[in-house]
């Protein structure tokens, strides 16, 4: 069974602080995605990374895919209350069923003004 | 509409009853997934179907969970003989392959929150 471990599970910080969320696995993934989910809504895709070592930036968010394609990180600079939400990483395994994504349990982020 | 919509948004059922949850996905999206989301287990795929199927490929758990796809962009998740452990948010997602990355991109509905008493 492929597992994606996310850490930390919960994170509460003040506005303006930086933070990093981690997503780790012992398995190799062909691609990895990060989603953000707000209460009462479904997850919304933030980014897809496919190449080992790849770094993608989305405004104040920086996503990195590990060289071995087993792990990923999400770094937020100068967090704002609007960043509050559940951050989910999801990996797609090689072969297997049609694009079946495996999700981590998520990191619940709260940014206080 | 442009997104994935699910109904009902909230459902309360007595233990042992059957429940049906509906998903209207995005026209043109091929594969449709049902996920169950709980605080303890995170998000796990229950079943998914491809465009040419009313067949469903069941994830875990199987048996009491099945999906029907009467139309290409409509799916109904059926849960038979509900148990208290079935209380969760059920998310529907349709997928489209992203041309630049080659990865499947999921578009999720807002979910149906099921409470089994």
């Amino acid at each position: 069974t492929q597992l994606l471990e996310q850490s930390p599970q919960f994170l509460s910080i003040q506005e303006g602080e930086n933070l990093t969320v981690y997503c780790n696995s012992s398995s190799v993934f062909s691609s990895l995605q990060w989603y953000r989910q707000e209460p009462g809504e479904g997850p919304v895709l933030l980014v897809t990374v496919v190449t080992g070592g790849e770094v993608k930036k989305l405004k104040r968010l920086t996503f990195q895919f590990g060289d071995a394609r087993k792990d990923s990180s999400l770094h937020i600079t100068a967090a704002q209350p609007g960043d509050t939400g559940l951050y989910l990483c999801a990996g797609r395994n090689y072969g297997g069923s049609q694009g079946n994504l495996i999700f981590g349990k998520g990191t619940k982020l709260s940014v206080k003004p | 509409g442009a997104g994935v919509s699910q109904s009902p948004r909230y459902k309360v059922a007595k233990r042992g009853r059957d429940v049906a949850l509906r998903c209207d996905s995005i026209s043109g999206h091929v594969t449709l997934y049902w996920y169950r989301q709980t605080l303890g287990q995170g998000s796990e795929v229950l079943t998914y179907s491809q465009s040419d199927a009313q067949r469903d490929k069941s994830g875990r758990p199987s048996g009491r969970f099945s999906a029907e796809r009467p139309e290409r962009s409509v799916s109904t998740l059926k849960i038979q003989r509900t148990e208290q452990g079935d209380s969760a948010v059920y998310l529907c997602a349709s997928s489209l392959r992203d041309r630049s990355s080659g990865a499947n991109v999921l578009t999720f509905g807002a979910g149906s929150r099921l409470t089994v008493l």
Side-chain angles (χ1 to χ4, degrees):
Chain A
T1 304
Q2 294 175 308
L3 291 176
L4 274 170
E5 302 285 343
Q6 284 191 245
S7 60
Q9 217 176 335
F10 301 95
L11 190 55
S12 181
I13 60 172
Q14 292 295 129
E15 181 176 2
E17 292 182 13
N18 301 334
L19 67 113
T20 303
V21 174
Y22 300 93
C23 178
N24 295 294
S25 176
S26 57
S27 301
V28 177
F29 292 96
S30 62
S31 64
L32 197 137
Q33 297 176 332
W34 284 91
Y35 290 79
R36 185 165 80 100
Q37 185 177 14
E38 297 188 32
E41 300 295 329
V44 175
L45 180 68
L46 295 173
V47 77
T48 300
V49 285
V50 295
T51 306
E54 181 177 3
V55 176
K56 278 192 174 178
K57 292 194 174 184
L58 188 65
K59 295 183 181 177
R60 292 175 296 100
L61 279 59
T62 302
F63 305 86
Q64 185 162 8
F65 200 13
D67 291 341
R69 290 178 165 174
K70 293 182 179 181
D71 55 85
S72 181
S73 64
L74 157 60
H75 182 78
I76 302 180
T77 304
Q80 299 176 1
D83 296 328
T84 293
L86 178 68
Y87 289 82
L88 298 162
C89 67
R92 181 186 175 203
N93 55 323
Y94 281 98
S97 52
Q98 184 84 330
N100 190 5
L101 282 181
I102 298 164
F103 279 84
K105 292 187 180 180
T107 293
K108 195 167 185 179
L109 173 65
S110 173
V111 182
K112 301 185 189 311
Chain B
V4 176
S5 62
Q6 294 186 240
S7 60
R9 291 295 311 276
Y10 302 92
K11 175 72 178 178
V12 179
K14 286 187 176 180
R15 187 176 54 185
R17 294 288 179 94
D18 296 349
V19 165
L21 306 175
R22 180 184 168 108
C23 173
D24 289 84
S25 67
I26 299 172
S27 176
H29 282 204
V30 173
T31 309
L32 203 150
Y33 298 83
W34 282 97
Y35 283 84
R36 180 171 68 180
Q37 189 176 56
T38 60
L39 279 175
Q41 300 298 321
S43 307
E44 53 177 345
V45 64
L46 292 172
T47 183
Y48 66 95
S49 65
Q50 296 161 5
S51 62
D52 62 344
Q54 281 197 2
R55 72 187 176 193
D56 70 279
K57 298 176 190 279
S58 292
R60 303 180 291 160
S62 59
R64 296 187 298 108
F65 292 75
S66 64
E68 294 179 359
R69 198 160 173 181
E71 302 169 36
R72 263 198 169 190
S73 61
V74 177
S75 177
T76 302
L77 177 70
K78 295 189 174 181
I79 309 173
Q80 295 178 305
R81 304 180 301 282
T82 53
E83 302 171 357
Q84 285 187 319
D86 296 334
S87 296
V89 173
Y90 290 83
L91 294 166
C92 171
S94 63
S95 78
L96 192 64
R97 186 173 291 275
D98 178 54
R99 289 180 182 175
S100 61
S101 68
N104 280 342
V105 174
L106 297 184
T107 301
F108 283 88
S112 293
R113 181 177 290 277
L114 172 66
T115 302
V116 181
L117 303 177

